[in-house]
Amino acid sequence: MNSAFEVVNSAPGSSEIEIEELVRYAQINIPMEYLSIIRKETELEISVAKIKLLRLWGAKGCIEMNEAYHIQQYIPNSLAIGDDECCNVLLYAEGEKGFGLYIVSLSDLEENAMVNIADSLKTFLVDGIGLNVFNSYF
């Protein structure tokens, strides 16, 4: 992980049954990078350059939050995987820059409101691409 990120809290990984449920639930092919993370740890709270907090949900939380906020109703072919504790969700979606990692406000859940962070969770967390975009999005 890039030195700008620091894990401050986490819970045990999702079970294979929970992950299978998430894969069946999703309208997209969930990238393995996310599934690999949630197999090890869930509810990851990650400090992003000590400015904002990124929380990555586990499989069960992912389904619950996507259903609670009707994410796919407003942004088809997407899957919210976390939030920034500022009423914005991090999601995989097909947007103006192709398939990748986007952020959008829960109060403006529309495809045209999504802002691209990076092409993948790996490029965000490891390479730091999109760090400034994530931290400046309120």
Side-chain angles (χ1 to χ4, degrees):
M1 200 169 352
N2 186 291
S3 62
F5 298 94
E6 178 187 358
V7 176
V8 294
N9 199 12
S10 68
S14 295
S15 71
E16 285 304 313
I17 291 171
E18 291 170 331
I19 290 172
E20 288 172 14
E21 288 174 14
L22 176 60
V23 169
R24 282 192 302 275
Y25 171 82
Q27 297 177 359
I28 64 167
N29 289 325
I30 305 170
M32 288 304 297
E33 61 183 9
Y34 173 68
L35 297 177
S36 295
I37 290 171
I38 66 171
R39 278 186 170 94
K40 295 175 186 166
E41 296 178 277
T42 62
E43 306 312 315
L44 278 156
E45 292 181 358
I46 303 168
S47 171
V48 182
K50 299 188 186 321
I51 297 172
K52 282 175 67 177
L53 202 63
L54 166 63
R55 185 174 51 204
L56 291 177
W57 309 320
K60 187 176 178 182
C62 189
I63 293 169
E64 289 171 358
M65 296 300 281
N66 278 271
E67 286 181 349
Y69 289 99
H70 310 284
I71 304 290
Q72 289 72 35
Q73 177 183 338
Y74 298 107
I75 305 175
N77 300 314
S78 70
L79 183 70
I81 61 168
D83 67 82
D84 66 355
E85 296 191 330
C86 296
C87 297
N88 304 307
V89 291
L90 191 70
L91 50 87
Y92 285 114
E94 185 72 39
E96 65 180 24
K97 294 193 177 182
F99 185 82
L101 202 58
Y102 291 82
I103 192 167
V104 67
S105 171
L106 286 170
S107 64
D108 194 16
L109 283 173
E110 297 180 15
E111 287 180 63
N112 63 357
M114 296 185 316
V115 173
N116 181 260
I117 293 178
D119 63 353
S120 70
L121 195 55
K122 179 192 176 288
T123 56
F124 179 53
L125 294 175
V126 176
D127 301 331
I129 294 171
L131 177 77
N132 293 333
V133 174
F134 178 84
N135 278 338
S136 64
Y137 192 90
F138 285 95

